[in-house]
Amino acid sequence: MRAKTALTAGALALTLAAGAGWAAQAAPEHTPAAKPAHARVIDGYQIVTLPNANVPNFQRRTVFCPTGKHVIGGGAEAQGNDAILVGSFPSTDGRGWIALGRQNAYSSVGISVYAICAY
């Protein structure tokens, strides 16, 4: 039974690899240098960053989009020895991104937060 599963996983990997190669070939050869492709498609695309800062374990840090924009994605990073990102999610009003983390041996943790914003 295991051999069959491994074979299926291998076939899937080959199929995915073949598909990735096809997608790369289907992409346009030339993209204008003025704006990244994603910025041309999404009005007001902007990444807003809240740089790393040490905060007490489990304290939330929030980065907000500029006025008039809403968050369409985001992320965070926990920095430090044994740092763990506990949560990374949009604010309830859709205007920002929230993150929190912890370190096992310390009472504080470094947290950076990123929000992807658009109109």
Side-chain angles (χ1 to χ4, degrees):
M1 188 86 132
R2 280 191 176 170
K4 188 175 182 181
T5 304
L7 211 76
T8 304
L12 178 60
L14 273 173
T15 303
L16 291 173
W22 175 82
Q25 291 173 358
E29 291 180 24
H30 204 67
T31 305
K35 287 185 176 182
H38 55 272
R40 288 181 287 143
V41 186
I42 303 170
D43 286 341
Y45 178 91
Q46 178 181 4
I47 297 175
V48 182
T49 303
L50 189 58
N52 183 58
N54 281 338
V55 295
N57 285 336
F58 300 103
Q59 179 175 315
R60 291 179 176 200
R61 293 198 73 209
T62 306
V63 62
F64 290 97
C65 293
T67 303
K69 292 186 179 184
H70 290 32
V71 72
I72 59 171
E77 179 180 16
Q79 299 177 12
N81 293 333
D82 202 21
I84 299 166
L85 185 64
V86 175
S88 175
F89 47 91
S91 62
T92 55
D93 64 2
R95 292 188 44 248
W97 200 264
I98 301 168
L100 61 145
R102 69 176 173 87
Q103 287 192 82
N104 288 328
Y106 302 94
S107 61
S108 65
V109 61
I111 298 289
S112 302
V113 190
Y114 310 91
I116 304 169
C117 306
Y119 290 117

